[in-house]
Amino acid sequence: MEMVPSEENQLVLKEVENAAEEPRVLCIVQDTTNAKTVNERLTLNLPASTTLSKLFEDVAHKAGYVNGTFDLAWRKTGDMGPLDPSSEMSLTESGFEPGKRNFLQLSDKDGEQPQIASDESGTAGSSGLDDRQERFIGPLPRDCTVGCSSDYSSPSYSYSSILNKSDTGYVGLVNQAMTCYLNSLLQTLFMTPEFRNALYNWEFEESEEDPVTSIPYQLQRLFLLLQTSKKRAIETTDVTRSFGWDSSEAWQQHDVQELCRVMFDALEQKWKQTEQADLINQLYQGKLKDYVRCLECGYESWRIDTYLDIPLVIRPFGASQAYGSVEEALQAFVQPETLDGANQYFCERCKKKCDARKGLRFLHFPYLLTLQLKRFDFDYTTMHRIKLNDRMSFPEELDMGPFIDVEDEKSPQTESCTDSGAENEGSCHSDQMSNDFSADDGVDEGICLDSASSTERVLKPKSSLTFELFSVMVHSGSAAGGHYYACIKSFSDGQWYSFNDQHVSKITQEDIRKTYGGSSGSRGYYSSAFASSTNAYMLIYRLKDPSRNAKYLDCDDFPEHIKHLVQREKESEEQEKRQREIERNTCKIKLFCMHPVKMMAMMENKLEVHKDKTLREATEMAYKLMELDGVVPLDCCRLVKYDEFHEYLERSYEGEDDTPMGLLLGGVKSSYMFDLLLETRRPEQVFQPYKPGEVMVKVHVVDLKTDTVAPPVSIRAYLNQSITEFKQLIAQATELSAETMRVVLERCYNDLRLLYVPNKTLKAEGFFRSNKVFVESSESPDHQVTFTDSLLWKLLDRHGNTIRLFVSLPVQSPGTNRTICQKVGGDPEECSEGSKGNRNSVETILEESTEKLKNLSLQQGSSTSDSQKSSDTSDFEHIESPSPSQEPDSSSVSAVVAVDNRELENRIRVASGGSGGGTYSDPETQFPGEERSDSEVNNDRSTSSVDSDILSSSHSSDTLCNADSGPIQLANGLDSHSITSSRRSKANEGKKETWDTAEEDSGTDSEYDENGKSKAESYYLYFRAEPYAQEDGSGEGGQKCVLVHVDKRITLSAFKQNLEPFVGVTSTQFKVFRVYANNQEFESVRLNETLSSFSDDNKITIRLGRALKKGEYRVKVYQLLVNDAEPCKFLVDTVFAKGMTVKQSKEELMPQLKDQCKLDLNIDKFRLRKKTWKNPGTVFLDYHVYEEDINISSNWEVFLEVLDGPEKMKSMSQLAVLTRRWTPAQMKLEPFQEVVLESSSVEELKEKLSEISGVPLENLEFAKGRGTFPCDISVLEIHQDLDWNPKVSTLNVWPLYICDDGAVVFYRDSTEEPMEQSEDERNELMKRESSRLLKTGHRVSYSPRKEKALKIYLDGGPVKDPGQD
């Protein structure tokens, strides 16, 4: 069968009827290389046999690109690797799915745009590849033949287009994180011909300075890349590294004008003693005169200042209307003010205070004029920084002639002159600018330079002071933060461009006008709040002077040192490109290996191999990667296809040693749906071939005589095999009889299926890639029993539901061991002897088990989660732990073989004698009542801040408690002990486990029914426990652990009763805590719940203490100390009962408080009240009854409050309010005082406050406290921040909502003024308040995080304090 080209230029089969039957692949390609095509789609419907190289040709033809100049990649999230354009693999072999939509993404190759094909190939004709109407959807031509001007002058143009890639020819800058302000300034400097050319003329001397820390050199490199690079955008990390910045600086946004000043200072410092030493001053520095002129005699005192930028006020201080244009703001800048009245000026000539005129005059404008629009201000009403978004227009050409001082600098009237040096260089300081919110008094914001006076310049005539706008730096956002980008005009073609980080696009004059700011409405005071937040922030003009206006240097005109640098950068870029090419052709895939030496553990690594490397070379690389040299010969290793998730060996690669890895793995991808396994064998063994159609089966052999399940043996089978053939295969691997063999398939977790139909295939039985079966072959009568009633089913059911738990036991008194051994039915010495006597047999078992593991074929991929669990369960079903008489750190393994289950049950039954000490076989035997314990032994006080409601929703059966680090010991001399309960009856199968709703009112589950009979189950689940020595040695200090293997369907009640022999007390006298991460503990209290939420190796801690009976609640009691720094102090754990009165609970509390807390209280001198988080609430009266008048819940918390006098609260209609006086004259808060109100009247509250304070009623103002008790607030904020004197008549309405006891109310005398403070006193008070509030955990809102100062370090980085961590 041969392939011939069709009319549609596609390869089709010569036999038309066969071609029609071939499936087709629908490819949908998104072109992301151009803003015009990003929303378009190329659709190709190709035969499945089409090769990848042909796909690239078709896409190139369709899109109008030259083949090989673009990349195609999957658009899926998990697989973004580019496809191989030279691959001859078919689409189906490359992962394309016939009959489905396959989404691809067309992108730039190596950061360069695709090349446009000629007109003949660039326009898609009727190729037949698309079933839609054909049209050209490739990129627009790069020249303006399609009409650039009309395109960009369209009114539908929006700034969203700049988010897509452009074809302007300019290179963008990558935003490191928040460096948009830096990118805007760098692009502006790059587009300034005079600055760029001067930077190129500077030559770096590598012998004198490190290139990494040289700011001019890194700027030079950056500018060269911006001019010559073919990339879409380049990084600025080398430049910021030369600034001495670390990665954290990338996350700090600064002001672009501040950066400009600091960068210029740094460049001047670096350029000392070079030709460029005065470059910044020559280009950007101007001069102005700051003068004061007496209006009586004309005497003028003045000084000359230099400036690098002119700050223009948007809205004058106190004004409601902003300036409308830059010209208006400039006029206001030079408008003098009159000093009169109290602000008169002392004239040196008149020798008295006179009216005077103070102002600024421009003496010289720089070649590059920088105007800063002061959009950031400070609102003294809200005491916050704000951004002024008012409209301010600016012309494209600005005539500065009207603003120049034409008077002689040294007129006869000017007799006083201040030093005319470059004072305050870099910014213009005057009284006109005194309202600048960012006054930098005492703040180091950059490099301090003491430069000499600048050379006097000749003033130019007014006719030459016309400036043209070429850069607008735009800020979008608020005073808290935002985004910068630059609109810059190119002096080469006069076109405006938007430089927005890595995106560069053409814009129009209309887009420039949009940066004026403001809204279409009036220019009123609040117009700024509703205006656009995107507006111009810095404007840069260039003087129109043909004699000085420079052009950009072309590459041919570069100085020699720049040409060398260009060559080095080009070579570096080529090297980077080659490296990317290698990366793009490198297959990266997970590699696994069952290491034969390192404890037979499955090791994982990542294999990175070039697609052209052969399988033999890849195997050698994997061999070295897994460090098998000297362990296994190389010829005893091979790579096979592996599925880690299913633990399935998919196939081996026989005879393909010379096949490239790219073909074997299906191409280069960012992720693969499979893994590789480096398989090893012994020299005498032969590798087993793995065929793609095979399935893996893990076979566990079950022995009913010993009740054990063996570790798995792996075999491979075919899905079309019958059950009879499958049994023969198992018989060969396990040496069992196939005639008596029973095979059970575990289809999913604990779903057991007996395979009894001989001719049924494995596929029909539900076999998949990786399967797990249990086999048993014996002539026991269990074969005749129904499977669900058989011993085999019960053993497997138990095996699937058994988990392993580590239980830490509490400290016990001596002699407990004797009690436990007696419960088991034996003497302590006999227990110990039995352990020793069976030591040899255990060692034999362990040796046999180890030998089996070693003999397992390495290609079977054991040591997985399933096999590990099987091995673990097998171990504990075979073996018991050593007796305590043996040292826990003994190198030899000691254990005892478990006795027959039924015999042990009988021993326990006889020994316990109804005492509740063991596991009972009689269904009618009653369990003793389970009670939740209090904290008599362990007063865990760390739960004071735990909301029980939150906990109950997060942990349905647990209660939070921190881990107790104290040592807990097992009973002295505890012997190894095993309790094995009888198996679950079929009648309980599928029992749904729910919350015990009958006991919800008591907060816990009771083990008794209404008649007092035990609610223990009539079936018994597996439980086996043995002492366990902790590996970390933490148990040596007295704390002992028990390793428990238990059926997780057992209830907590039965679990506790099974633990009784090990704890040494009945289940009513201890509590169970589940240990989570970070040693957090949650108490398990729902006795009727099972252990289904537990998993293997979970940890449990047992604590002593009485549990609760029905109707009882555990309560934590905290003392409320309203005037203490810590108002909430834990006292005791106690128990309240349903129906108990508050007075009775107080009577029960008193002896506990006296004994444990040394509090000897009179019953009438303290009260109990509700505790909600840390807030005091309702006062409980003595006659109130729990559950009737007071709702109570599990893990309840209450406040105990000691009273100064008799109880004032007599009824629930009263309201107890905690009040606190604020005295502004002393800047002080008085202690809390409680006020009891008969109603919710505001007038009554004021009367009570006036009565206790002496403040006249008409002068008294109050406010409700905020936050949690004690509603702390800084004395520096309380006078303004609280809502004083709300206009309400009752307390239970908005904004007060005081409806319950415990609300905090502040009050003050309205006639009292705040204390006058000096700056030092205020700072000292601020420090004290900050320290006080931080100790109480309250926010200090008046001390915000100080912004990090913008600095450029000339020595490579900041000097860190060695004492600082």
Side-chain angles (χ1 to χ4, degrees):
M1 189 181 302
E2 137 184 320
M3 305 291 288
V4 295
S6 70
E7 294 179 357
E8 299 173 347
N9 200 24
Q10 298 186 53
L11 295 176
V12 298
L13 297 172
K14 183 178 288 186
E15 291 83 354
V16 178
E17 62 274 12
N18 292 340
E21 296 174 0
E22 182 180 1
R24 299 182 74 82
V25 175
L26 181 63
C27 302
I28 300 175
V29 184
Q30 179 187 19
D31 185 356
T32 62
T33 63
N34 191 279
K36 303 293 183 182
T37 62
V38 70
N39 294 321
E40 301 288 348
R41 301 291 185 272
L42 297 169
T43 305
L44 298 93
N45 194 7
L46 304 173
S49 60
T50 303
T51 62
L52 278 180
S53 59
K54 184 65 173 66
L55 170 67
F56 272 82
E57 293 176 11
D58 291 340
V59 171
H61 177 77
K62 188 87 169 178
Y65 293 138
V66 175
N67 192 13
T69 63
F70 58 87
D71 277 337
L72 281 179
W74 291 104
R75 218 176 72 194
K76 293 184 243 176
T77 305
D79 196 358
M80 291 294 290
L83 299 175
D84 184 2
S86 61
S87 175
E88 295 301 318
M89 294 176 62
S90 67
L91 296 182
T92 51
E93 292 174 337
S94 302
F96 289 76
E97 298 184 37
K100 295 185 179 180
R101 291 184 296 176
N102 298 271
F103 292 96
L104 300 174
Q105 181 174 294
L106 190 152
S107 59
D108 293 345
K109 189 178 183 69
D110 300 331
E112 300 178 18
Q113 281 195 330
Q115 296 179 18
I116 305 292
S118 62
D119 291 341
E120 291 78 21
S121 62
T123 305
S126 56
S127 64
L129 299 179
D130 195 348
D131 53 2
R132 299 177 294 134
Q133 182 180 357
E134 286 296 324
R135 54 195 171 84
F136 179 75
I137 58 173
L140 291 172
R142 302 306 156 96
D143 53 20
C144 291
T145 56
V146 187
C148 294
S149 60
S150 63
D151 226 21
Y152 288 98
S153 61
S154 170
S156 63
Y157 174 82
S158 69
Y159 274 102
S160 63
S161 64
I162 69 176
L163 299 178
N164 300 314
K165 294 180 178 178
S166 69
D167 52 4
T168 61
Y170 288 100
V171 179
L173 294 174
V174 176
N175 191 335
Q176 295 182 37
M178 298 176 70
T179 56
C180 53
Y181 68 101
L182 172 66
N183 291 350
S184 302
L185 180 61
L186 290 175
Q187 292 283 19
T188 297
L189 296 177
F190 171 72
M191 296 295 286
T192 306
E194 293 77 10
F195 186 90
R196 188 205 298 187
N197 296 345
L199 186 63
Y200 285 170
N201 288 327
W202 174 80
E203 184 173 359
F204 173 67
E205 297 292 341
E206 193 164 354
S207 59
E208 298 179 2
E209 188 178 4
D210 183 1
V212 175
T213 60
S214 175
I215 298 171
Y217 175 69
Q218 294 301 334
L219 279 177
Q220 196 177 72
R221 286 186 61 241
L222 182 75
F223 282 15
L224 276 177
L225 291 174
L226 286 173
Q227 187 168 350
T228 63
S229 177
K230 296 179 181 180
K231 293 182 179 179
R232 178 70 62 175
I234 57 177
E235 297 278 354
T236 59
T237 49
D238 289 340
V239 174
T240 55
R241 191 178 295 113
S242 71
F243 291 172
W245 294 359
D246 55 21
S247 58
S248 66
E249 292 285 353
W251 295 93
Q252 187 84 19
Q253 190 176 74
H254 293 289
D255 184 273
V256 68
Q257 183 267 344
E258 180 187 15
L259 172 68
C260 181
R261 190 180 72 230
V262 174
M263 185 188 290
F264 284 171
D265 289 346
L267 286 173
E268 283 189 319
Q269 187 76 359
K270 287 287 186 177
W271 275 334
K272 282 184 176 179
Q273 311 301 325
T274 67
E275 292 181 7
Q276 289 74 21
D278 201 37
L279 175 66
I280 300 300
N281 292 339
Q282 292 172 4
L283 295 179
Y284 295 95
Q285 182 174 280
K287 296 172 72 174
L288 55 78
K289 178 194 289 186
D290 186 355
Y291 68 92
V292 180
R293 174 176 292 179
C294 177
L295 294 181
E296 293 188 12
C297 67
Y299 173 81
E300 183 177 287
S301 174
W302 55 270
R303 70 173 183 180
I304 294 178
D305 287 333
T306 59
Y307 63 90
L308 294 180
D309 55 70
I310 303 174
L312 298 181
V313 174
I314 298 289
R315 186 193 299 166
F317 182 73
S320 61
Q321 188 167 324
Y323 297 129
S325 65
V326 163
E327 296 93 332
E328 194 177 335
L330 280 168
Q331 191 62 49
F333 185 84
V334 297
Q335 181 69 32
E337 64 172 322
T338 302
L339 305 178
D340 55 8
N343 201 26
Q344 279 186 326
Y345 164 71
F346 184 84
C347 179
E348 294 290 341
R349 178 180 293 175
C350 300
K351 301 299 182 183
K352 64 174 183 176
K353 284 191 174 184
C354 305
D355 290 350
R357 184 167 292 154
K358 184 182 188 305
L360 299 169
R361 296 194 193 103
F362 288 110
L363 301 178
H364 168 74
F365 290 113
Y367 177 71
L368 297 172
L369 178 65
T370 305
L371 303 179
Q372 181 202 3
L373 308 185
K374 299 181 63 176
R375 293 197 174 273
F376 299 111
D377 208 340
F378 193 81
D379 189 334
Y380 288 94
T381 304
T382 61
M383 303 300 287
H384 287 97
R385 290 179 62 180
I386 59 172
K387 183 184 177 186
L388 304 175
N389 293 312
D390 301 87
R391 174 184 172 87
M392 175 174 278
S393 64
F394 44 87
E396 189 171 3
E397 289 193 355
L398 178 62
D399 182 11
M400 295 298 289
F403 307 105
I404 196 73
D405 184 14
V406 296
E407 299 180 8
D408 186 9
E409 289 189 38
K410 292 187 179 288
S411 61
Q413 296 177 340
T414 306
E415 297 184 2
S416 175
C417 174
T418 309
D419 178 21
S420 61
E423 183 178 349
N424 299 325
E425 180 179 350
S427 62
C428 178
H429 294 269
S430 71
D431 291 347
Q432 289 283 339
M433 297 178 289
S434 60
N435 61 340
D436 186 356
F437 71 92
S438 59
D440 41 4
D441 295 340
V443 180
D444 176 15
E445 295 205 17
I447 303 171
C448 295
L449 298 175
D450 296 328
S451 55
S453 301
S454 59
T455 308
E456 295 293 333
R457 299 178 180 87
V458 179
L459 296 178
K460 290 189 175 290
K462 291 178 65 175
S463 59
S464 66
L465 294 180
T466 302
F467 291 80
E468 61 176 327
L469 178 69
F470 78 94
S471 176
V472 180
M473 278 174 262
V474 182
H475 181 268
S476 177
S478 66
H483 177 63
Y484 286 98
Y485 63 92
C487 301
I488 307 174
K489 182 175 75 172
S490 171
F491 287 112
S492 58
D493 58 6
Q495 172 67 48
W496 281 90
Y497 297 91
S498 170
F499 292 83
N500 192 342
D501 290 335
Q502 57 262 48
H503 306 291
V504 185
S505 59
K506 291 182 180 179
I507 56 174
T508 64
Q509 283 292 336
E510 179 61 29
D511 298 311
I512 299 298
R513 285 190 284 274
K514 289 178 182 178
T515 65
Y516 290 170
S519 58
S520 57
S522 64
R523 288 161 52 195
Y525 184 80
Y526 290 104
S527 64
S528 175
F530 304 100
S532 169
S533 65
T534 302
N535 34 54
Y537 180 62
M538 275 186 73
L539 310 172
I540 301 184
Y541 287 82
R542 186 176 77 163
L543 182 67
K544 295 186 71 173
D545 183 356
S547 65
R548 295 187 63 184
N549 295 157
K551 294 183 179 180
Y552 304 112
L553 280 178
D554 291 330
C555 295
D556 297 336
D557 301 327
F558 284 163
E560 285 302 316
H561 66 276
I562 295 296
K563 290 181 179 179
H564 293 315
L565 182 58
V566 170
Q567 186 61 31
R568 287 202 303 270
E569 293 297 330
K570 189 176 294 185
E571 292 173 358
S572 175
E573 198 167 302
E574 288 297 324
Q575 176 64 27
E576 184 182 338
K577 183 178 178 180
R578 287 193 294 270
Q579 187 61 38
R580 284 201 308 269
E581 186 71 23
I582 294 173
E583 285 289 321
R584 189 165 52 250
N585 292 311
T586 299
C587 304
K588 300 177 181 179
I589 188 169
K590 277 187 179 181
L591 176 68
F592 294 89
C593 177
M594 179 67 71
H595 201 284
V597 174
K598 296 182 179 180
M599 299 180 66
M600 295 289 290
M602 181 69 80
M603 297 174 60
E604 179 182 344
N605 215 317
K606 192 170 190 178
L607 178 65
E608 298 184 5
V609 57
H610 194 276
K611 67 176 184 177
D612 296 332
K613 293 281 188 181
T614 63
L615 177 62
R616 181 181 288 106
E617 293 171 317
T619 304
E620 187 174 351
M621 293 172 63
Y623 178 77
K624 295 177 180 177
L625 194 62
M626 288 299 182
E627 300 176 358
L628 295 178
D629 193 9
V631 179
V632 178
L634 178 60
D635 58 0
C636 291
C637 301
R638 70 170 178 175
L639 285 175
V640 295
K641 193 175 180 181
Y642 177 60
D643 182 355
E644 183 213 3
F645 182 78
H646 295 100
E647 303 167 35
Y648 172 57
L649 296 170
E650 295 191 15
R651 62 160 297 186
S652 54
Y653 300 105
E654 282 82 12
E656 299 190 63
D657 288 343
D658 297 323
T659 305
M661 292 299 292
L663 288 177
L664 290 180
L665 300 179
V668 180
K669 300 179 181 179
S670 61
S671 63
Y672 292 88
M673 300 300 293
F674 56 90
D675 313 300
L676 290 178
L677 174 73
L678 183 62
E679 196 176 20
T680 61
R681 63 174 174 84
R682 289 194 294 271
E684 67 274 10
Q685 288 182 324
V686 178
F687 279 125
Q688 176 185 351
Y690 304 141
K691 299 179 181 179
E694 295 175 334
V695 294
M696 175 176 274
V697 184
K698 290 184 177 179
V699 181
H700 295 263
V701 177
V702 180
D703 190 341
L704 292 181
K705 293 181 180 179
T706 59
D707 274 0
T708 58
V709 179
V713 174
S714 295
I715 63 172
R716 296 179 71 85
Y718 289 95
L719 291 176
N720 57 0
Q721 279 183 324
S722 66
I723 298 300
T724 301
E725 294 171 332
F726 184 53
K727 287 184 178 180
Q728 295 293 337
L729 190 64
I730 295 176
Q732 294 175 11
T734 60
E735 299 181 356
L736 296 176
S737 171
E739 288 74 16
T740 59
M741 184 181 294
R742 284 185 291 177
V743 180
V744 179
L745 170 66
E746 185 178 79
R747 292 187 295 185
C748 56
Y749 174 71
N750 209 28
D751 179 13
L752 305 175
R753 178 188 182 91
L754 180 65
L755 308 182
Y756 59 90
V757 182
N759 296 326
K760 205 169 183 179
T761 64
L762 300 187
K763 183 176 182 180
E765 290 287 7
F767 277 68
F768 188 54
R769 281 183 170 186
S770 185
N771 308 275
K772 183 178 180 180
V773 299
F774 300 91
V775 297
E776 188 273 334
S777 181
S778 66
E779 298 182 359
S780 66
D782 195 54
H783 280 256
Q784 312 302 324
V785 185
T786 306
F787 175 58
T788 52
D789 293 328
S790 66
L791 293 176
L792 175 61
W793 183 87
K794 292 176 181 178
L795 176 59
L796 296 180
D797 177 68
R798 187 192 78 192
H799 173 269
N801 288 283
T802 300
I803 56 175
R804 180 174 64 185
L805 302 175
F806 294 96
V807 181
S808 297
L809 300 176
V811 178
Q812 285 291 327
S813 59
T816 313
N817 175 54
R818 186 179 300 107
T819 304
I820 295 174
C821 282
Q822 288 170 357
K823 288 182 180 181
V824 181
D827 184 64
E829 295 180 5
E830 293 177 3
C831 293
S832 178
E833 290 298 327
S835 299
K836 295 177 181 179
N838 289 297
R839 176 171 178 174
N840 293 334
S841 60
V842 172
E843 291 177 345
T844 304
I845 293 172
L846 287 177
E847 289 175 2
E848 291 176 357
S849 176
T850 304
E851 187 62 27
K852 284 184 180 179
L853 288 173
K854 289 183 178 179
N855 292 333
L856 284 177
S857 176
L858 298 181
Q859 62 263 27
Q860 292 169 357
S862 57
S863 184
T864 62
S865 57
D866 286 343
S867 61
Q868 180 67 39
K869 180 177 178 181
S870 302
S871 177
D872 291 342
T873 51
S874 174
D875 288 344
F876 77 72
E877 286 163 351
H878 273 293
I879 305 163
E880 287 187 346
S881 294
S883 67
S885 61
Q886 295 161 338
E887 291 298 323
D889 58 350
S890 174
S891 59
S892 61
V893 180
S894 304
V896 294
V897 178
V899 297
D900 181 82
N901 292 336
R902 289 182 294 276
E903 180 185 350
L904 183 56
E905 288 169 8
N906 293 334
R907 289 173 59 191
I908 296 169
R909 190 183 309 117
V910 172
S912 58
S915 64
T919 304
Y920 300 83
S921 61
D922 185 1
E924 301 301 323
T925 305
Q926 296 182 5
F927 286 96
E930 170 73 10
E931 299 176 351
R932 290 169 55 195
S933 61
D934 56 20
S935 299
E936 294 170 0
V937 175
N938 174 39
N939 280 335
D940 189 350
R941 307 186 179 191
S942 59
T943 59
S944 60
S945 61
V946 177
D947 190 333
S948 59
D949 294 335
I950 297 175
L951 289 174
S952 63
S953 64
S954 302
H955 304 277
S956 57
S957 62
D958 299 332
T959 303
L960 178 65
C961 175
N962 282 345
D964 188 352
S965 59
I968 301 176
Q969 294 182 348
L970 183 65
N972 293 340
L974 176 62
D975 291 315
S976 56
H977 170 62
S978 173
I979 302 175
T980 307
S981 304
S982 58
R983 302 171 186 84
R984 184 182 70 165
S985 68
K986 184 185 176 185
N988 190 58
E989 182 179 2
K991 176 185 175 183
K992 186 178 181 181
E993 293 159 6
T994 59
W995 290 77
D996 183 17
T997 55
E999 297 298 326
E1000 284 184 358
D1001 61 325
S1002 68
T1004 185
D1005 297 324
S1006 172
E1007 296 176 34
Y1008 297 100
D1009 58 19
E1010 294 299 325
N1011 299 322
K1013 294 182 179 180
S1014 170
K1015 294 196 290 187
E1017 303 95 327
S1018 59
Y1019 57 92
Y1020 301 95
L1021 300 171
Y1022 183 79
F1023 179 97
R1024 187 170 186 276
E1026 55 197 30
Y1028 167 76
Q1030 298 186 29
E1031 294 179 359
D1032 56 3
S1034 58
E1036 296 178 3
Q1039 180 175 352
K1040 296 293 182 180
C1041 290
V1042 171
L1043 183 63
V1044 174
H1045 301 278
V1046 62
D1047 193 316
K1048 62 183 178 182
R1049 295 166 297 186
I1050 194 172
T1051 62
L1052 178 62
S1053 173
F1055 178 68
K1056 290 183 67 176
Q1057 294 189 28
N1058 280 310
L1059 283 176
E1060 285 179 349
F1062 297 91
V1063 182
V1065 296
T1066 60
S1067 62
T1068 60
Q1069 300 300 319
F1070 66 85
K1071 300 174 286 184
V1072 175
F1073 290 85
R1074 184 174 178 177
V1075 183
Y1076 287 87
N1078 301 323
N1079 284 334
Q1080 276 194 320
E1081 294 184 354
F1082 297 84
E1083 184 181 358
S1084 299
V1085 295
R1086 296 283 179 176
L1087 299 174
N1088 287 348
E1089 273 199 345
T1090 66
L1091 304 185
S1092 57
S1093 63
F1094 288 74
S1095 57
D1096 270 333
D1097 297 336
N1098 278 172
K1099 294 181 180 180
I1100 288 177
T1101 298
I1102 303 298
R1103 302 197 188 285
L1104 299 179
R1106 186 181 74 81
L1108 299 180
K1109 298 178 182 177
K1110 184 177 179 180
E1112 291 185 334
Y1113 302 85
R1114 182 173 296 109
V1115 179
K1116 289 186 177 295
V1117 182
Y1118 296 81
Q1119 186 174 2
L1120 177 63
L1121 304 164
V1122 293
N1123 288 308
D1124 278 20
E1126 286 292 335
C1128 179
K1129 177 185 176 184
F1130 177 80
L1131 293 178
V1132 294
D1133 273 335
T1134 188
V1135 176
F1136 289 176
K1138 178 180 178 181
M1140 178 186 288
T1141 65
V1142 173
K1143 186 172 184 179
Q1144 289 172 332
S1145 64
K1146 288 166 67 175
E1147 290 172 347
E1148 291 199 8
L1149 262 178
M1150 288 170 61
Q1152 281 185 265
L1153 295 171
K1154 185 175 182 180
D1155 181 45
Q1156 298 182 30
C1157 306
K1158 311 304 180 187
L1159 281 177
D1160 192 2
L1161 300 175
N1162 187 308
I1163 194 169
D1164 297 323
K1165 290 298 180 68
F1166 74 95
R1167 62 159 70 133
L1168 299 180
R1169 64 190 305 167
K1170 182 180 178 181
K1171 178 180 181 289
T1172 306
W1173 189 236
K1174 296 182 179 180
N1175 299 309
T1178 308
V1179 175
F1180 300 146
L1181 305 181
D1182 284 352
Y1183 57 82
H1184 283 164
V1185 179
Y1186 296 115
E1187 284 290 13
E1188 294 180 11
D1189 303 310
I1190 302 171
N1191 292 327
I1192 191 169
S1193 60
S1194 59
N1195 299 291
W1196 204 42
E1197 295 179 346
V1198 296
F1199 271 128
L1200 180 149
E1201 186 179 10
V1202 179
L1203 303 174
D1204 296 330
E1207 176 64 79
K1208 298 177 184 177
M1209 292 287 290
K1210 301 299 181 184
S1211 79
M1212 291 297 292
S1213 62
Q1214 293 175 308
L1215 189 65
V1217 179
L1218 292 168
T1219 65
R1220 198 171 189 186
R1221 180 173 179 179
W1222 157 243
T1223 53
Q1226 302 176 29
M1227 298 294 283
K1228 180 182 176 184
L1229 280 167
E1230 303 291 343
F1232 278 103
Q1233 288 181 282
E1234 186 178 74
V1235 171
V1236 177
L1237 306 177
E1238 301 298 327
S1239 66
S1240 296
S1241 166
V1242 169
E1243 284 303 315
E1244 183 185 0
L1245 174 62
K1246 285 189 171 183
E1247 290 172 2
K1248 293 276 188 179
L1249 295 177
S1250 177
E1251 181 181 328
I1252 62 175
S1253 64
V1255 177
L1257 195 60
E1258 61 274 11
N1259 298 337
L1260 196 140
E1261 293 181 343
F1262 73 95
K1264 183 184 177 183
R1266 297 173 184 168
T1268 57
F1269 186 83
C1271 305
D1272 258 331
I1273 186 171
S1274 167
V1275 297
L1276 296 170
E1277 295 178 336
I1278 187 172
H1279 207 67
Q1280 302 91 6
D1281 281 12
L1282 292 184
D1283 184 14
W1284 290 99
N1285 219 28
K1287 306 300 181 184
V1288 291
S1289 59
T1290 58
L1291 301 175
N1292 56 0
V1293 297
W1294 183 87
L1296 297 176
Y1297 287 125
I1298 299 178
C1299 307
D1300 195 8
D1301 302 327
V1304 174
V1305 170
F1306 296 97
Y1307 65 97
R1308 69 182 181 188
D1309 187 343
S1310 60
T1311 61
E1312 192 174 336
E1313 293 295 328
M1315 183 194 340
E1316 293 290 336
Q1317 292 179 298
S1318 66
E1319 189 65 28
D1320 290 342
E1321 290 174 335
R1322 182 176 177 81
N1323 289 338
E1324 185 62 31
L1325 180 60
M1326 187 181 295
K1327 289 179 183 178
R1328 285 205 309 270
E1329 285 295 281
S1330 176
S1331 175
R1332 178 178 70 86
L1333 294 179
L1334 285 174
K1335 286 179 181 178
T1336 58
H1338 286 72
R1339 181 178 60 89
V1340 189
S1341 60
Y1342 60 82
S1343 180
R1345 180 181 63 86
K1346 186 176 181 181
E1347 291 185 13
K1348 191 174 182 180
L1350 174 63
K1351 292 188 179 184
I1352 292 178
Y1353 304 93
L1354 303 182
D1355 54 355
V1359 179
K1360 296 185 178 180
D1361 184 0
Q1364 231 175 358
D1365 189 5

